[in-house]
Amino acid sequence: MLRFLLRRLANYLLLLFLAVSLAYILASISMDPRNAFDWTNPNLNRDAVNATLTAYNINPDTSALTRYTRWLGMVSHWDWGMTPKGDSVNELMGTKVWVSLRLVTLGTLLGMVCGVALGAWTAVRQYSWVDRGFSLLALLLISTPTVVLAVVLQMLATQANTMMGYPVFEFIGETGQSDGTTFGRLVDRAQHLLLPTLSLSLMQMAGYSRYQRNLMLDTLGADYVRTARAKGLRKGKAIRHHALRNAIIPMATQLAFSVALVFTGAAMTERIYGWHGMGAYSVDSITAQDINGTVAVVAFSGICVLVGALLSDILIAAIDPRVRAN
């Protein structure tokens, strides 16, 4: 199994290098960091701006190949460069990643666990009122845009706060006012985290439940499940040890890659709730003509995909003995 994982890791690292290099070349060709400055301002020192962009290795007047060679030297020392305005991309990324990590982790875990469990549970009760009810609710959530769901949750939270006479739900920014104590700060963060976490988890729960339900229905009718039942194995044990275990194998890949992409895929949720994480930064870096920031986001996304792919391989190897045998 170790040899299998090392071989996969080498392939993923090569693909990551190619993807990030291609992203840098495309960003260098298509973006012009000079547009981040107001060139209509007569007081703008154009020579100083060009000199600064050259020092930051993002001046379009320098050939893309030369900039790419210099950029490789910088990245080899884990220096992702500067933005056109002079901010360190390393520092920005460090801040944004932790913001997204606080926002995404709980919502993703809740969405995955509850979605898989709900999908398997409704599959066992196919065509019952429970199955039909949760299927309708899941399809309704899937068809609802993220911005609509977030706004509806904010409206409901506002009504709940009014009814209770206390702002239980806070949904603008990461933090607000607290009494200054450690417990007070934790409560304040939890209040601001509740609605965006609920927004993320509901969308993911709906999608995962539909995937898992369909996969579970395929395995419930499989010959090996019927054979296990015919040999006297109890229904619950046959479902857990045979049907569910085989139905989770395709979901392992889906779950792992979803974890990887949710960091940059929560841009709309971050915008609505005032969180300044990786999703919002990915949009801001593109609109600001920030070559280094855009490439850093692509690299982070690629690393997340790499980690997700490895997690997928490990999960599949742990679940499927055929992979371990090979």
Side-chain angles (χ1 to χ4, degrees), residues 169-280:
F169 299 97
E170 299 283 356
F171 43 81
I172 300 298
E174 304 170 50
T175 58
Q177 296 180 349
S178 64
D179 56 11
T181 63
T182 302
F183 179 75
R185 287 193 294 268
L186 289 175
V187 171
D188 176 62
R189 286 189 176 275
Q191 288 177 306
H192 285 79
L193 187 62
L194 185 58
L195 277 190
T197 298
L198 185 61
S199 179
L200 285 174
S201 61
L202 283 176
M203 298 296 290
Q204 295 189 55
M205 192 187 306
Y208 290 140
S209 66
R210 303 312 298 164
Y211 284 124
Q212 188 61 52
R213 179 183 179 277
N214 293 335
L215 292 169
M216 193 71 178
L217 289 175
D218 291 337
T219 56
L220 284 173
D223 293 337
Y224 53 84
V225 177
R226 290 200 299 266
T227 301
R229 292 282 291 130
K231 288 183 176 181
L233 195 65
R234 288 178 301 175
K235 181 179 179 180
K237 195 170 184 178
I239 291 174
R240 290 193 304 272
H241 287 259
H242 295 281
L244 181 59
R245 185 170 184 174
N246 284 278
I248 287 180
I249 292 176
M251 282 297 296
T253 303
Q254 175 72 19
L255 294 176
F257 282 101
S258 296
V259 171
L261 298 176
V262 75
F263 280 93
T264 53
M268 187 63 68
T269 302
E270 291 179 0
R271 289 287 191 186
I272 295 171
Y273 291 106
W275 286 66
H276 304 288
M278 286 299 299

Side-chain angles (χ1 to χ4, degrees), residues 27-64:
S28 298
I29 295 173
S30 59
M31 290 185 178
D32 188 350
R34 289 175 296 196
N35 291 332
F37 300 89
D38 183 12
W39 290 90
T40 62
N41 183 3
N43 296 322
L44 181 67
N45 191 333
R46 292 166 173 76
D47 293 335
V49 170
N50 285 319
T52 300
L53 296 180
T54 301
Y56 293 161
N57 194 39
I58 52 177
N59 194 333
D61 294 335
T62 306
S63 68

